[in-house]
Amino acid sequence: MTFIRRFDHVGITVADLDAATAFFVGLGLEADRKMPVEGEFLDTVIGTTDARTEIVMLRPPGGGTTLELSSFTRPDHLPGSPAAPANELGLRNVAFEVHDLRAAVDHAAGKGYGLVGGIGEYEGMWRMAYVRGPEGIIVSLAERIEK
């Protein structure tokens, strides 16, 4: 028996929801409107009381798995590790296939987000780079090498 039907979304908690949303929209994701979530449902699921968060759902053009950004107003968010290296345990990156890796990296750099390392090539099939986005989120950008 299998329990999973499909991959729905990845959720990332951020302090500055607007800045994080702008970063991902700048890469090409489409954002739904910001919406508050609070009440018994949220408290039950996250295991706390009197919680309130605002979320934005972002999706790639044409649909697919979404990215949920959330920012807590109650209780206040706890600090993360914005300079964490790629080998730190836990969720370390969110990955996207892009049309033009160099243009995407240059766009991110123009907004103040630099490379974690460099641009690498994997077995002549993929070109990839890690960009450290808002609040230290590592974003993996990959471009298929056409032959």
Side-chain angles (χ1 to χ4, degrees), residues 15-142:
D16 189 336
L17 186 58
D18 293 334
T21 300
F23 172 81
F24 287 105
V25 167
L27 289 175
L29 294 182
E30 300 165 353
D32 291 344
R33 65 178 174 78
K34 186 187 312 183
M35 59 184 250
V37 179
E38 62 185 322
E40 183 180 345
F41 165 75
L42 180 63
D43 291 352
T44 298
V45 171
I46 68 170
T48 192
T49 57
D50 196 33
R52 183 178 195 284
T53 188
E54 289 186 317
I55 67 168
V56 173
M57 299 301 287
L58 299 117
R59 66 192 80 258
T65 301
T66 57
L67 177 65
E68 174 192 82
L69 299 177
S70 65
S71 183
F72 280 84
T73 54
R74 288 190 317 258
D76 197 9
H77 64 275
L78 299 174
S81 302
N87 65 337
E88 181 178 285
L89 295 178
L91 179 64
R92 284 301 349 126
N93 71 76
V94 57
F96 299 98
E97 182 178 347
V98 298
H99 296 287
D100 184 339
L101 178 62
R102 175 49 64 191
V105 167
D106 290 347
H107 171 81
K111 301 291 183 182
Y113 302 108
L115 291 172
V116 172
I119 295 175
E121 192 172 298
Y122 179 73
E123 295 186 355
M125 298 183 313
W126 290 97
R127 211 170 275 116
M128 190 170 90
Y130 276 6
V131 172
R132 191 170 299 276
E135 302 185 39
I137 299 167
I138 296 175
V139 180
S140 173
L141 302 174

Side-chain angles (χ1 to χ4, degrees), residues 1-15:
M1 170 184 258
T2 181
F3 295 100
I4 295 175
R5 294 181 64 188
R6 67 183 177 94
F7 195 130
D8 186 72
H9 74 275
V10 171
I12 301 175
T13 301
V14 298

